[in-house]
Amino acid sequence: MTAQEWPAVNPPDAEKKNHLRDIHGEQVNDPYYWMNAYFKKTADSTQIIQYLEEENRYVDQMMADTRNFQQVLFDEMKSRIKEKDESVPVFKNGYYYYSRTEDGEQYFKYCRKKASLDAPEEILLDVDEMAKGKAYFSVRGFSISPDNHWLAYGVDEVSRRQYQIYFKDLKTGKVYNDGISNTTGSTVWANDNQTVFYTKNNETTLLTENIMRHRLGEDASKDIVVYHEEDNTNYIGVYKSKNNQYIFIHSSATTSSEERYLDANAPMDEFKVFQPRIKNVLYSVVPLEDRFLVLTNQNALNFKLMETPLHATRQENWKAIIPHREDVLIESVDEFKNYLVITERFNGLMRLVIKNRQTGQEKLLSFDEPTYSVYTTGNAEYFTEELRFAYNSMVTPASIFEQNMRTGKRKLLKQQEVLGDFDKNNYASEYLYATAKDGTKIPISLVYRKGLEKNGKNPLLLYGYGSYGASMEATFSSSRLALLNRGFIFAIAHIRGGEEMGRQWYEDGKMMKKINTFTDFIDAGKFLIQEKFTSPQHLYAQGGSAGGLLMGAVINMKPNMWNGIIAQVPFVDVVNTMLDEGIPLTTNEYDEWGNPNEKVAYDYMKSYSPYENIENKSYPNLLVTTGLHDSQVQYFEPAKWVAKLRDHQKGKNVILFKTEMDYGHGGASGRFDYLKDLALEYAFLFKLEGIKK
């Protein structure tokens, strides 16, 4: 079978049912609207489930000749993972905390040791045991009471990101269910060891609406609402300061935020507003022992760091200690007794700056690879001179370092062990710039196996996202070696809509400038073709969620530029979703995409929404994936998109649609199960390239 041959099997035939969208004086028929039946729990629920199962069978039939190859790929990727492993222990409040994995087990054990790493191990949660017999199982939000007696944690068994909170008595081992459901899974302990705060979600829209106060051992029906968010465009959450003095409630939309705070020793008091929300102003608070630090973009696009007295928190008292810079974005601040560590972004790359609080002296941590990722992690203690940070690149496996902030001495605590014949010296990475149609320079990170010839014949997978200000970091992946070792180049286009080049990079790729995201990606692909890395016959693209929107847009705009596309949980029905406030998270997104109830926003969305702009033309080969229980992008968006694409498809390229019937937005929960999905995606690419082993 050659690269372009497929079995003579007809895809499922999706029924059409008229449904008119009537808004702004325009009527639009949506013949696949009925596919939301399972989500809406309407009469067509059985029909859509049957249709999704038919689509899954079609994928199996079309990819049948790769079944053995998929198993080879799965085994190969799994064989590179060290199954029996342990995380770097983190010291907090007298204990070392870590997780460890066992041979053959899908999950992990959450453990601690008292005072010394030589002390006996205490298994706090055996998640391998807890997950037995479950199709999906997620545990998050591990939170230990200040007296080290209680563990709170959240469990999701549906993949809907709705967590039930449990409490475990670490002295007796008994687990208590106080009936706390529909939460984010995280809890924050007050210093009395009896009171916790948590975030309650709306059961239907999944919006974070209330911060609740709970007393250990009481029924959740008695829990008190300590904060209700009136604005349905905001996300809210609750957290505790590193110095354990304060509990904060954070409320934030895309463009403005507000903090409330409470003395952690007085959990029954009312939260105080730190600074009332201001339109188009974001801020976050870091408490020190004698002042508050405030990171804000008020009159500072790339943010500036301010300080204010503990007793005077309003903006008129804020004074700058790190001013705004046009070319440097301040992303976050880690606080210590004698130091601050500022995470910045410059020229698209992350960097860490250690600032001595007594002398004001600054030290920039430097790294010598052309493209990489670095961030602070595991810094739970306030009174320490040791800074921990994680580093990796497209050729360097994930590494945890510890650096003494006073002496500068650095040591490697752990580096991801890649089993098999991996040698980083066999691979090369580059950091290049494409020129967008408006002259903007678009960074591209690439990795490939050394010895590559730039002859236009190399298969290349271009990845992109470009939304929410989320920067796509150049990170290592052991599973990606399966691509690189078979001749593929992997590239990331750092397009506008992310925040790689500063806050303006995000502003120029959202709302009424969203189309920049799509044209940047296309221009990145054109650059890679011009530089002879690849050609349209060998160029592939991949994106998930909002990156799936990217995939849908670029194949409408430049369908002949790609041989194949992988769209994972794609957000492709922008207009209809943003018009339906009953769909989870819709109202939170107005500051990202606009509100289509306003005609200007509606018209602009309609101009790029993938579902709205399908035409009769030859689309590239597509593999589209989703999860039936997806809480972020509902399954019916890609289902409708695929059906409409097939109805308009010209030519012989295939469109495959796979639904995971047990999973949601993040895919499988086990640490190996996701490799099955990856094996299918890689097999799809290899099939298009005629690579069979």
Side-chain angles (χ1 to χ4, degrees):
M1 180 176 288
T2 63
Q4 297 299 325
E5 289 181 350
W6 296 88
V9 180
N10 292 324
D13 186 16
E15 185 178 354
K16 296 180 181 179
K17 303 180 183 182
N18 288 335
H19 177 88
L20 284 182
R21 180 181 75 210
D22 190 348
I23 188 171
H24 302 308
E26 179 184 60
Q27 289 190 331
V28 178
N29 185 37
D30 183 1
Y32 304 110
Y33 179 85
W34 68 271
M35 289 187 174
N36 69 12
Y38 181 80
F39 170 76
K40 296 285 189 179
K41 297 180 173 59
T42 64
D44 291 324
S45 293
T46 301
Q47 183 181 357
I48 184 58
I49 294 298
Q50 290 173 346
Y51 173 75
L52 296 176
E53 290 172 342
E54 288 174 13
E55 287 282 5
N56 284 349
R57 285 192 290 271
Y58 178 65
V59 173
D60 291 341
Q61 290 172 312
M62 295 296 281
M63 296 293 291
D65 62 309
T66 70
R67 195 167 294 134
N68 291 337
F69 192 16
Q70 288 182 53
Q71 186 63 48
V72 169
L73 291 168
F74 173 83
D75 292 340
E76 176 185 321
M77 292 185 288
K78 186 171 181 284
S79 72
R80 296 189 183 278
I81 298 172
K82 186 178 181 182
E83 295 194 28
K84 186 178 178 64
D85 205 357
E86 187 174 301
S87 68
V88 177
V90 173
F91 187 76
K92 184 176 182 180
N93 195 24
Y95 284 83
Y96 287 94
Y97 292 89
Y98 60 96
S99 62
R100 60 179 178 83
T101 54
E102 297 284 358
D103 289 336
E105 297 287 356
Q106 287 268 28
Y107 295 90
F108 60 93
K109 292 165 177 55
Y110 181 54
C111 310
R112 71 178 181 182
K113 293 181 178 180
K114 188 173 183 178
S116 167
L117 291 174
D118 295 325
E121 178 181 80
E122 181 183 357
I123 298 177
L124 305 183
L125 286 183
D126 187 340
V127 184
D128 292 313
E129 188 66 30
M130 296 164 67
K132 283 185 177 177
K134 307 288 197 315
Y136 180 92
F137 196 81
S138 173
V139 183
R140 62 160 300 182
F142 304 113
S143 181
I144 304 288
S145 61
D147 62 1
N148 295 310
H149 182 172
W150 294 94
L151 165 65
Y153 59 95
V155 173
D156 173 16
E157 297 184 23
V158 182
S159 188
R160 194 75 178 157
R161 299 189 183 182
Q162 291 280 64
Y163 287 82
Q164 180 98 5
I165 291 173
Y166 296 87
F167 299 92
K168 183 174 182 178
D169 186 327
L170 298 179
K171 292 182 179 179
T172 67
K174 186 175 180 180
V175 174
Y176 296 86
N177 179 1
D178 289 356
I180 305 176
S181 60
N182 297 324
T183 80
T184 62
S186 298
T187 52
V188 171
W189 289 91
N191 290 342
D192 65 356
N193 302 295
Q194 292 295 311
T195 307
V196 295
F197 297 90
Y198 64 92
T199 308
K200 186 80 170 177
N201 298 337
N202 181 291
E203 191 171 355
T204 301
T205 65
L206 307 187
L207 294 177
T208 50
E209 292 183 333
N210 294 314
I211 303 298
M212 311 295 295
R213 186 179 68 214
H214 176 77
R215 295 285 291 176
L216 194 63
E218 292 188 356
D219 190 273
S221 62
K222 298 180 180 179
D223 290 354
I224 302 298
V225 177
V226 296
Y227 177 67
H228 172 72
E229 179 55 63
E230 298 285 351
D231 189 341
N232 65 2
T233 68
N234 278 38
Y235 291 97
I236 61 173
V238 59
Y239 65 98
K240 194 174 189 180
S241 62
K242 185 190 288 188
N243 65 11
N244 296 312
Q245 295 303 302
Y246 299 97
I247 295 171
F248 285 89
I249 292 173
H250 183 72
S251 176
S252 180
T254 305
T255 59
S256 65
S257 64
E258 185 177 72
E259 300 271 355
R260 284 169 165 75
Y261 66 110
L262 175 75
D263 185 337
N265 293 303
M268 298 302 165
D269 288 357
E270 289 190 11
F271 281 82
K272 295 183 288 186
V273 177
F274 190 90
Q275 162 61 45
R277 64 191 70 181
I278 306 170
K279 186 177 181 180
N280 296 323
V281 172
L282 295 165
Y283 76 91
S284 58
V285 181
V286 175
L288 305 178
E289 66 281 352
D290 59 349
R291 74 198 76 172
F292 289 113
L293 300 181
V294 183
L295 183 61
T296 181
N297 69 344
Q298 186 176 33
N299 302 316
L301 183 65
N302 280 332
F303 290 81
K304 58 187 174 183
L305 188 62
M306 316 286 280
E307 65 178 14
T308 195
L310 295 177
H311 64 277
T313 64
R314 300 300 166 93
Q315 62 166 328
E316 59 267 22
N317 302 296
W318 300 357
K319 296 180 180 179
I321 56 175
I322 299 180
H324 175 256
R325 290 159 290 175
E326 295 288 344
D327 59 345
V328 178
L329 172 69
I330 303 178
E331 294 216 331
S332 63
V333 177
D334 280 73
E335 72 275 24
F336 300 89
K337 171 68 175 174
N338 296 315
Y339 300 90
L340 299 177
V341 179
I342 300 96
T343 300
E344 301 178 341
R345 193 176 290 275
F346 176 71
N347 278 344
L349 297 175
M350 303 287 287
R351 66 185 191 184
L352 304 179
V353 178
I354 299 173
K355 183 180 180 70
N356 187 304
R357 289 181 55 196
Q358 275 67 49
T359 67
Q361 183 179 4
E362 294 185 356
K363 178 178 177 57
L364 175 66
L365 274 62
S366 59
F367 308 97
D368 58 6
E369 293 186 280
T371 181
Y372 59 84
S373 171
V374 65
Y375 55 92
T376 60
T377 183
N379 295 290
E381 288 290 308
Y382 184 71
F383 298 96
T384 181
E385 292 184 335
E386 301 295 336
L387 167 70
R388 282 196 185 175
F389 64 89
Y391 175 90
N392 72 139
S393 73
M394 299 181 93
V395 299
T396 301
S399 310
I400 302 293
F401 288 93
E402 189 170 80
Q403 179 158 331
N404 187 284
M405 292 182 280
R406 178 174 54 83
T407 66
K409 184 178 180 181
R410 183 185 301 180
K411 60 183 177 181
L412 176 65
L413 299 181
K414 180 182 176 65
Q415 185 171 85
Q416 174 189 355
E417 186 176 344
V418 182
L419 304 183
D421 58 356
F422 171 72
D423 181 348
K424 65 174 289 184
N425 296 312
N426 291 331
Y427 305 88
S429 66
E430 296 187 50
Y431 192 61
L432 306 174
Y433 291 91
T435 302
K437 67 175 186 176
D438 63 358
T440 303
K441 298 296 184 182
I442 310 299
I444 304 174
S445 297
L446 300 95
V447 63
Y448 50 82
R449 195 171 175 94
K450 287 181 178 178
L452 179 88
E453 293 184 30
K454 294 183 183 179
N455 56 16
K457 298 179 181 179
N458 303 297
L460 187 150
L461 178 60
L462 181 62
Y463 182 84
Y465 188 74
S467 291
Y468 303 106
S471 299
M472 295 296 102
E473 310 296 353
T475 57
F476 182 82
S477 167
S478 65
S479 56
R480 190 187 299 142
L481 298 173
L483 275 182
L484 304 183
N485 291 344
R486 290 172 174 84
F488 264 78
I489 301 167
F490 180 79
I492 303 170
H494 303 288
I495 51 184
R496 282 175 283 188
E499 218 168 53
E500 286 92 336
M501 302 296 283
R503 184 72 178 182
Q504 191 64 50
W505 204 247
Y506 172 43
E507 297 292 336
D508 288 344
K510 66 190 279 270
M511 297 291 284
M512 307 304 281
K513 296 181 179 180
K514 188 63 206 171
I515 288 175
N516 284 336
T517 301
F518 316 135
T519 55
D520 283 359
F521 192 80
I522 290 169
D523 289 334
K526 288 179 178 177
F527 170 80
L528 294 168
I529 292 170
Q530 291 166 0
E531 294 298 309
K532 302 293 185 182
F533 282 102
T534 189
S535 62
Q537 295 78 26
H538 301 285
L539 179 58
Y540 303 89
Q542 181 177 13
S545 197
L549 162 63
L550 172 67
M551 296 299 102
V554 301
I555 66 170
N556 282 334
M557 297 167 74
K558 289 289 183 182
N560 297 324
M561 192 171 158
W562 327 90
N563 190 35
I565 297 284
I566 299 174
Q568 302 155 300
V569 292
F571 175 44
V572 284
D573 192 11
V574 184
V575 176
N576 290 315
T577 288
M578 295 304 295
L579 282 169
D580 189 345
E581 294 186 13
I583 293 175
L585 312 181
T586 290
T587 55
N588 288 114
E589 307 286 294
Y590 286 161
D591 288 337
E592 181 72 22
W593 314 104
N595 182 348
N597 292 294
E598 301 167 1
K599 189 175 188 309
V600 173
Y602 171 84
D603 289 341
Y604 189 75
M605 278 184 200
K606 193 167 178 286
S607 74
Y608 69 75
S609 176
Y611 186 65
E612 304 281 335
N613 289 281
I614 294 171
E615 299 174 332
N616 292 325
K617 53 188 168 187
S618 179
Y619 285 95
N621 298 284
L622 270 87
L623 173 61
V624 182
T625 63
T626 190
L628 181 62
H629 303 291
D630 197 326
S631 59
Q632 313 300 110
V633 179
Q634 309 303 313
Y635 70 89
F636 51 81
E637 287 201 43
K640 292 170 59 179
W641 183 52
V642 164
K644 190 174 180 181
L645 278 169
R646 286 221 192 94
D647 194 43
H648 290 74
Q649 173 73 302
K650 302 298 180 185
K652 297 182 179 179
N653 290 340
V654 302
I655 301 174
L656 306 180
F657 178 41
K658 175 72 180 293
T659 301
E660 293 292 351
M661 306 303 282
D662 294 319
Y663 307 147
H665 199 66
S669 56
R671 63 182 176 131
F672 302 127
D673 282 342
Y674 80 97
L675 294 175
K676 297 175 184 176
D677 300 327
L678 204 51
L680 173 65
E681 293 167 8
Y682 285 1
F684 173 74
L685 297 175
F686 293 145
K687 185 180 176 83
L688 293 173
E689 279 294 311
I691 297 171
K692 300 179 181 179
K693 63 180 182 178

